[in-house]
């Protein structure tokens, strides 16, 4: 190092005020204290804890994390020692969290979510080569085409990967927490401080039956309902279950369910080949009515609508590409929701 360089460095050091040096020492001390606090705690245990909390099962948590059930059991043992609590208690075939476990999850949820997001978004300006979208097959029929149109405009080389949702909230929550998907489309809002959840559609259900139904001919009266059996969509969505109760109230009857499936295609196929009735989204019926031997049935009351949400992690908006993508998609969805023409 030259003499002039040494002088420049020395002058720079002198220009640093005592206040700045004091703040830097305080920051260093804080970080050192944190290291001392966690040096005896394996942070990987938090991932195992979250997986067990979500799945309520050591075996399912092991499958989700790609480790053995024995490893999950050992991790839970260490967590129980650290927190001096059982954390999870056997409740039939499931593991029920204790109040301490619930408190840990609620206290760490946002911080853990943000940590994973930061690790996955170190570069905020990169354009991804693929986007993973998690939703039910039916919902994909009117959401993925919107994403494809926007990507054709802003990133035509980006690949869309669609993973199927089987209508279980646990499965979808796992996709959000462990970043298995970039965007979720679902009938459940999945509200959280670390997520954005916005309604993009409002689906109106219709009653359907086969065209040659022996008793139903285009319209169903309240008096006919007790003689009919129904097909239900298998879902954990609170809104869907609430709407099911509302429909029962409107029909003045607890409908008899003979078949239940998470697949609308399966349900409409069962309607076509039986005398059972089903409620399906009107949009789905309009697309499928010419492919299946079914008809819509008029009723004397207004069916409750079912919202559909687009959900993603807030931290993903740090990526300018992703922020642009969801903004353009939101504009299109809102125009469709308001029945305005999309340009």
């Amino acid at each position: 190092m030259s003499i002039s360089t040494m002088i420049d460095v020395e002058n720079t050091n002198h220009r640093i005020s005592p206040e700045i040096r004091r703040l830097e020492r305080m920051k260093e001390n804080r970080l050192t204290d944190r290291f001392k606090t966690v040096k005896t705690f394996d942070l990987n245990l938090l991932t195992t804890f979250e997986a067990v909390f979500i799945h309520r099962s050591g075996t399912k948590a092991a499958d989700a994390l790609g480790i053995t059930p024995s490893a999950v059991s050992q991790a839970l043992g260490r967590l129980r020692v650290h927190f001096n609590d059982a954390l999870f208690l056997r409740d039939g075939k499931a593991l029920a969290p204790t109040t301490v476990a619930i408190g840990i999850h609620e206290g760490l949820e946002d911080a853990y979510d943000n940590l994973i997001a930061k690790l996955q978004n170190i570069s905020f300006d990169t354009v991804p080569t693929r986007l993973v979208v998690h939703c039910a097959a039916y919902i994909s029929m009117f959401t993925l085409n919107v994403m494809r149109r926007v990507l054709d405009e802003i990133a035509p080389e980006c690949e869309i990967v669609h993973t199927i949702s089987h209508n279980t909230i646990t499965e979808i929550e796992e996709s959000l927490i462990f970043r298995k998907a970039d965007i979720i489309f679902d009938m459940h809002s999945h509200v959280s401080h670390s997520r954005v959840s916005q309604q993009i559609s409002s689906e109106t259900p219709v009653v359907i039956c086969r065209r040659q139904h022996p008793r139903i001919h285009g319209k169903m009266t309240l008096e006919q309902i007790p003689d009919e059996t129904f097909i239900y969509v298998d879902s954990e969505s609170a809104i869907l279950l609430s709407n099911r109760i509302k429909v029962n109230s409107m029909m003045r009857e607890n409908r008899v369910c003979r078949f239940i499936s998470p697949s609308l295609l399966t349900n409409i196929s069962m309607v076509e080949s039986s005398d059972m009735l089903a409620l399906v989204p009107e949009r789905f019926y309009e697309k499928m009515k010419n492919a299946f031997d079914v008809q819509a049935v008029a009723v004397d009351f207004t069916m409750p609508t079912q919202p559909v949400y687009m959900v993603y992690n807030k931290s993903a908006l740090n990526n300018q590409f992703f922020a642009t993508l969801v903004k353009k998609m939101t504009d299109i969805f809102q125009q469709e929701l308001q029945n305005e023409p999309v340009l």
Side-chain angles (χ1 to χ4, degrees):
M1 183 183 295
S2 66
I3 294 176
S4 60
T5 303
M6 293 173 64
I7 293 173
D8 288 340
V9 171
E10 184 177 355
N11 289 338
T12 301
N13 291 336
H14 282 304
R15 284 196 295 269
I16 299 176
S17 69
E19 180 63 21
I20 293 176
R21 288 178 179 172
R22 186 179 67 82
L23 292 173
E24 288 179 347
R25 283 196 298 271
M26 288 176 60
K27 180 180 179 181
E28 182 179 345
N29 290 337
R30 276 201 309 272
L31 291 173
T32 302
D33 290 340
R34 289 175 183 172
F35 294 150
K36 289 178 180 178
T37 301
V38 301
K39 70 178 182 180
T40 59
F41 183 82
D42 184 355
L43 294 176
N44 290 318
L45 296 176
L46 296 180
T47 300
T48 304
F49 172 84
E50 285 295 310
V52 175
F53 191 94
I54 292 168
H55 291 284
R56 301 295 198 268
S57 164
T59 302
K60 291 180 180 179
D63 289 340
L65 298 175
I67 59 179
T68 65
S70 175
V72 171
S73 179
Q74 292 175 20
L76 285 179
R78 295 172 62 186
L79 286 165
R80 284 165 174 151
V81 171
H82 182 83
F83 291 107
N84 192 28
D85 187 82
L87 297 181
F88 298 95
L89 300 173
R90 180 65 60 184
D91 183 14
K93 294 183 178 180
L95 293 176
T98 65
T99 55
V100 172
I102 293 172
I104 294 170
H105 171 74
E106 292 177 347
L108 293 177
E109 181 181 14
D110 290 344
Y112 180 81
D113 220 28
N114 289 331
L115 174 61
I116 296 177
K118 291 297 183 183
L119 291 174
Q120 293 187 336
N121 290 283
I122 296 298
S123 177
F124 298 132
D125 299 319
T126 57
V127 176
T129 57
R130 58 181 280 173
L131 288 170
V132 179
V133 183
H134 193 74
C135 64
Y138 162 64
I139 294 178
S140 72
M141 294 169 61
F142 61 89
T143 55
L144 296 190
N145 60 327
V146 172
M147 175 177 282
R148 189 261 318 155
R149 285 160 53 192
V150 174
L151 287 176
D152 283 350
E153 175 188 348
I154 65 174
E157 301 300 321
C158 185
E159 175 187 21
I160 301 174
V161 179
H162 173 219
T163 59
I164 299 292
S165 163
H166 298 292
N167 295 352
T168 65
I169 294 176
T170 296
E171 174 190 14
I172 299 170
E173 287 287 334
E174 177 189 325
S175 296
L176 288 166
I177 292 175
F178 295 108
R179 299 304 195 281
K180 293 183 177 181
D182 298 290
I183 294 178
I184 303 291
F185 294 106
D186 193 38
M187 291 184 176
H188 187 73
S189 58
H190 301 280
V191 174
S192 167
H193 293 302
S194 60
R195 300 174 195 145
V196 176
S197 178
Q198 55 196 102
Q199 184 178 344
I200 61 164
S201 175
S202 184
E203 300 297 294
T204 302
V206 294
V207 179
I208 62 170
C209 69
R210 67 185 180 98
R211 288 197 179 99
Q212 303 303 319
H213 196 284
R215 295 174 297 280
I216 306 297
H217 306 286
K219 185 173 182 179
M220 181 174 63
T221 64
L222 293 175
E223 289 73 23
Q224 290 175 288
I225 293 173
D227 298 326
E228 306 303 329
T229 56
F230 288 80
I231 295 171
Y232 285 175
V233 174
D234 186 17
S235 175
E236 296 178 355
S237 167
I239 296 177
L240 190 65
L241 297 176
S242 174
N243 284 349
R244 186 177 298 169
I245 295 172
K246 289 179 183 177
V247 171
N248 285 343
S249 175
M250 292 173 181
M251 291 184 172
R252 303 174 190 171
E253 186 77 26
N254 284 324
R255 291 172 290 157
V256 177
C257 176
R258 286 279 312 281
F259 183 78
I260 186 166
S261 168
S263 168
L264 289 175
L265 278 175
T266 300
N267 288 352
I268 198 172
S269 297
M270 187 64 72
V271 168
E272 181 185 49
S273 60
S274 73
D275 291 338
M276 291 184 286
L277 281 65
L279 273 70
V280 299
E282 185 177 16
R283 188 194 321 234
F284 178 78
Y285 168 72
E286 291 297 329
K287 281 185 174 292
M288 297 296 175
K289 65 182 180 181
N290 295 325
F292 292 86
D293 186 26
V294 296
Q295 62 175 326
V297 178
V299 292
D300 294 329
F301 51 86
T302 302
M303 292 285 187
T305 58
Q306 174 68 55
V308 177
Y309 299 91
M310 177 169 67
V311 189
Y312 51 88
N313 290 298
K314 286 181 182 178
S315 57
L317 295 175
N318 292 326
N319 184 297
Q320 185 57 49
F321 160 79
F322 188 86
T324 301
L325 171 67
V326 296
K327 173 64 169 62
K328 288 180 174 290
M329 289 174 61
T330 299
D331 290 344
I332 295 174
F333 286 133
Q334 290 304 315
Q335 286 181 350
E336 293 180 346
L337 190 60
Q338 298 167 9
N339 294 321
E340 295 178 359
V342 180
L343 301 179

